[in-house]
Amino acid sequence: MEQLPLFGRSQVRELEAARYGSAPAEHEQSAESLQAWKQRIINFQSALRSQPPALATDLFGQVPEAVAIAHSINPWQLRRRSLEFWRWPAASAGTAALYFVIDYHCSLLLYVGETIKANQRWKGKHDCKDYVARYQSLHHQHGLACEVGIGFWLNAPTQTRPRQQLETILIDYWRSPFNKQNWRQWGTPFTT
């Protein structure tokens, strides 16, 4: 005997939206809702860019090295690359890097990531690729401009833990909306 679902699909979506603070599915999100979502994040990130807060110090009044390094990186000044960078021929697998997915049209930092092999990071499955595709699709659907690209900071440590520590600091600082750590603050309009 087949068990019937307790809730319909639309009811499940509403319950998930209430629980996780997510916006409606992309085909249901209005242009106004998208613009408002983006503007909240742009306002937050613009304030950090124009008036960076004082750096947190340790018990001795010193700024931890990882914090100082992370805050010295300006994602918007990195060389801009296409999101299809991984398809291009490369002489090597690349180096350790931190990377930043940015909508350059509106100066919105969408995602911060780290990798040991910059040239190979997006070759396989990556959730952020899906979020970006939905983000671009929704912009296209509403006739809105977006220009998503990626920038790499190639001075990242080769050791995993220090590189991940920098990534965590940057995700927390910029509150990049496609990083799961920030979904509660911004909602999840581009996840499945």
Side-chain angles (χ1 to χ4, degrees), residues 78-100:
L78 300 173
R79 181 176 168 216
R80 184 188 314 189
R81 296 176 186 236
S82 162
L83 289 176
E84 300 298 316
F85 70 92
W86 57 273
R87 295 182 188 268
W88 302 338
S92 73
T95 60
L98 293 168
Y99 59 94
F100 305 85

Side-chain angles (χ1 to χ4, degrees), residues 25-45:
E26 68 178 334
H27 65 277
E28 298 174 11
Q29 189 175 12
S30 68
E32 295 78 20
S33 173
L34 172 62
Q35 295 286 55
W37 179 83
K38 286 173 39 178
Q39 197 58 55
R40 285 181 28 232
I41 303 163
I42 291 167
N43 291 345
F44 176 84
Q45 292 177 351

Side-chain angles (χ1 to χ4, degrees), residues 2-112:
E2 182 183 343
Q3 182 173 350
L4 298 173
L6 184 59
F7 299 106
R9 283 187 182 177
S10 63
Q11 291 171 312
V12 169
R13 248 194 330 258
E14 288 174 18
L15 290 169
E16 287 175 346
R19 180 174 181 193
Y20 298 109
S22 61
E26 68 178 334
H27 65 277
E28 298 174 11
Q29 189 175 12
S30 68
E32 295 78 20
S33 173
L34 172 62
Q35 295 286 55
W37 179 83
K38 286 173 39 178
Q39 197 58 55
R40 285 181 28 232
I41 303 163
I42 291 167
N43 291 345
F44 176 84
Q45 292 177 351
S46 293
L48 290 176
R49 290 175 72 185
S50 63
Q51 290 250 294
L55 298 180
T57 59
D58 61 19
L59 292 173
F60 304 105
Q62 302 295 312
V63 175
E65 183 180 12
V67 172
I69 291 169
H71 288 258
S72 72
I73 302 168
N74 182 337
W76 290 267
Q77 290 181 343
L78 300 173
R79 181 176 168 216
R80 184 188 314 189
R81 296 176 186 236
S82 162
L83 289 176
E84 300 298 316
F85 70 92
W86 57 273
R87 295 182 188 268
W88 302 338
S92 73
T95 60
L98 293 168
Y99 59 94
F100 305 85
V101 177
I102 299 173
D103 183 343
Y104 291 97
H105 180 76
C106 61
S107 293
L108 171 58
L109 175 60
L110 296 166
Y111 185 82
V112 176

